[in-house]
Amino acid sequence: MIGDNDLRHLMTLARIDLDPAEAEKIKIDLNAILGYFEQLASLDTEGVEELARPVHTENIFREDEIRPSLSRSRALDVAVETDEGFFKVPRTVDES
């Protein structure tokens, strides 16, 4: 269970500052959550298959097809600024 020292450590890690009443409420809530995990740990799961997801999903693949796409000139029509056939955008990385 979560004690006062553990809660102070968690508050430091989360970089939050709680007044004593808030801290006590959070400690009670966290201990209740840990209690639920203890209940789950006590369940007999022998023979229960492990799940990665609660619902089975499958990838649906399609065949690759060559399809027409935008021409360079048509794509560049929406550009605010171009340079030698390319989109020109503001610098995002500092050179220094």
Side-chain angles (χ1 to χ4, degrees), residues 3 8 12 17 24-25 28 32 37 40 61 74:
R8 278 194 292 279
T12 300
D17 188 25
E24 188 60 30
K25 170 119 177 53
I28 291 168
F37 279 104
L40 289 173
F61 296 104
R74 178 100 190 265

Side-chain angles (χ1 to χ4, degrees), residues 17 48 92:
D17 188 25
V48 177
T92 58

Side-chain angles (χ1 to χ4, degrees), residues 5 10 30 36 41-42 47 54 59-60 67 84 88 93:
N5 289 336
L10 289 172
L30 288 173
Y36 293 132
S42 69
N59 285 331
I60 300 172
R67 297 186 295 177
E84 297 180 14
K88 189 169 182 179
V93 179

